[in-house]
Amino acid sequence: MSWHNNVVREPFYRRRATIVFMKAVIALGGNAILRRGERGTAEEQFAHVRTAVRQIVPLIAGGDAVLITHGNGPQVGDILLKNECARDTLPIMPLDICGAESQGMIGYMIQQSLENALAEDGIRRPVISVVTQTVVDPDDPAFTDPKKPIGPFYTEGEAALFSRERGWTMAPSDASETAFRRVVPSPEPLDIVEHPSIRTLVNEGFVVVAGGGGGIPVRRDGTGRLAGVEAVVDKDLAAERLATGIGAEMLLVLTDVPSAFLRYGTPDQAPLGRVSADEIETLLHDGHFPEGSMGPKVRACIRFVREGGQTAVITSLDLISEALAGTAGTRVVP
Ligand code: ADP
Ligand code: MG
């Protein structure tokens, strides 16, 4: 069953005029907020967020309904490290609570920056952040094969200690043979718990920030009760669940490359423009889009258009308007 037919009521953005406005979900890459190599001070993060939201203002100004979702990798890494530094003084927080903290801090930065940017342009649209949970299947194969590295680097001795004391799965890091990191499962997102509330907010004209870091992973027990799980959901795959859940027409995946490329990183790499879901799926199977980076973006786009979405675009933050006009980015259509 498709969620697209469950429109709560006539959305505000169609009531306006003869112009048909669209409902768009924008997924911001982690590097849009905290750059590798930076210390990640509040000022640095705020500065990047301000730059990022400036690119989104024209869309909102044009009357489109917009939901913003974002990565949280660097921020949750810092939160985990802070926990570790204070471990003799304060209890260590589980990963779901760290994820919720990161949604609050990033949501706040986006919300305030966007409120200010809209006010500067004289646009009156309310902005709100929603703490969001993502349901995963406890039987997802990812739980028997944790792969996603998170948090600080540890010595071999610490790795052995924490796997004994805390039950963590530790794996040697790619970055250095002597360093170890905690690895957690990255299960497929099934559903966004709050999507009906989020859909209502978006349809009423609120600009919503939700699903940060892929959402807080939770499972449902036999009676439907929710509980947090120690996992990380891919933010691009969760963005698709959100976009589908709120009946969006467009999914915009914004990252640090202008589009998806064929043979990326080789001398004959080529940008990919407009493609069908079937075409790009074949390219995915041919190995053009690696799992840790471009792969989930492509999979999110394919799933979105197959679940009823009209267009999914992969591009960079500074190319939003060109991508909407169809002159930049990779555009996946049904
Ligand atoms: P984000 O934080 O936005 O999710 P990622 O690092 O996960 O960013 O993914 C974007 C990166 O994917 C690019 O910086 C690029 O290096 C990498 N990449 C891998 N394969 C491709 C490809 N086929 N086309 C474009 N970029 C690719
Ligand atoms: Mg990524």
Side-chain angles (χ1 to χ4, degrees):
M1 189 188 76
S2 165
W3 289 325
H4 275 265
N5 304 324
N6 293 332
V7 176
V8 176
R9 64 167 118 133
E10 190 191 11
F12 86 96
Y13 60 96
R14 289 202 198 291
R15 261 185 245 143
R16 290 266 178 88
T18 46
I19 313 163
V20 178
F21 298 110
M22 70 169 177
K23 202 183 324 185
V25 166
I26 299 178
L28 286 177
N31 46 46
I33 306 166
L34 206 164
R35 306 258 157 90
R36 276 179 267 272
E38 279 183 354
R39 285 190 60 232
T41 63
E43 290 75 17
E44 281 169 349
Q45 298 196 48
F46 250 119
H48 294 313
V49 171
R50 285 194 198 104
T51 312
V53 301
R54 267 269 143 236
Q55 308 290 331
I56 300 170
V57 167
L59 218 78
I60 300 169
D64 291 328
V66 172
L67 182 148
I68 300 169
T69 185
H70 56 84
N72 73 344
Q75 289 82 3
V76 91
D78 283 5
I79 292 169
L80 291 165
L81 179 56
K82 283 185 180 128
N83 268 272
E84 207 55 75
C85 293
R87 71 171 184 246
D88 296 330
T89 323
L90 292 168
I92 298 261
M93 286 296 127
L95 198 50
D96 55 328
I97 294 186
C98 295
E101 274 182 51
S102 77
Q103 285 187 349
M105 75 178 266
I106 301 170
Y108 159 64
M109 291 192 286
I110 296 178
Q111 191 175 315
Q112 188 189 75
S113 304
L114 197 52
E115 279 160 346
N116 288 339
L118 291 171
E120 271 167 37
D121 288 7
I123 302 158
R124 291 176 53 145
R125 286 277 290 274
V127 187
I128 188 157
S129 303
V130 178
V131 176
T132 313
Q133 307 171 84
T134 301
V135 181
V136 300
D137 177 1
D139 295 327
D140 191 296
F143 283 103
T144 52
D145 184 22
K147 277 203 190 103
K148 174 84 183 160
I150 54 155
F153 293 80
Y154 299 101
T155 64
E156 192 165 1
E158 287 172 320
L161 180 72
F162 295 155
S163 83
R164 237 186 3 258
E165 280 189 352
R166 300 179 185 169
W168 289 359
T169 308
M170 309 297 289
S173 146
D174 294 340
S176 145
E177 279 168 20
T178 55
F180 284 74
R181 277 182 103 184
R182 181 181 179 196
V183 286
V184 295
S186 188
E188 294 283 324
L190 298 181
D191 186 15
I192 307 294
V193 175
E194 293 76 16
H195 89 256
S197 318
I198 294 170
R199 181 172 55 193
T200 304
L201 288 167
V202 171
N203 287 353
E204 286 299 320
F206 288 81
V207 178
V208 181
V209 183
I216 303 157
V218 294
R219 63 180 168 77
R220 278 190 202 279
D221 68 16
T223 63
R225 279 172 59 91
L226 297 166
V229 295
E230 300 270 322
V232 168
V233 175
D234 182 86
K235 72 122 193 346
D236 298 312
L237 300 180
E240 181 281 322
R241 293 286 71 201
L242 256 177
T244 300
I246 67 162
E249 282 94 27
M250 160 101 52
L251 172 63
L252 272 165
V253 183
L254 301 179
T255 182
D256 56 356
V257 282
S259 69
F261 285 83
L262 300 177
R263 301 173 294 278
Y264 181 71
T266 70
D268 58 344
Q269 69 175 32
L272 195 59
R274 191 187 151 97
V275 282
S276 73
D278 289 352
E279 284 163 346
I280 202 166
E281 189 171 50
T282 305
L283 297 167
L284 176 70
H285 290 147
D286 291 347
H288 288 275
F289 315 116
E291 248 334 291
S293 55
M294 194 46 72
K297 298 184 198 306
V298 168
R299 289 205 283 131
C301 292
I302 295 171
R303 190 168 189 191
F304 178 65
V305 299
R306 287 198 178 144
E307 295 269 342
Q310 286 172 12
T311 316
V313 174
I314 300 169
T315 192
S316 56
L317 200 54
D318 52 317
L319 289 174
I320 291 189
S321 42
E322 289 86 345
L324 290 175
T327 56
T330 296
R331 176 174 278 259
V332 183
V333 292

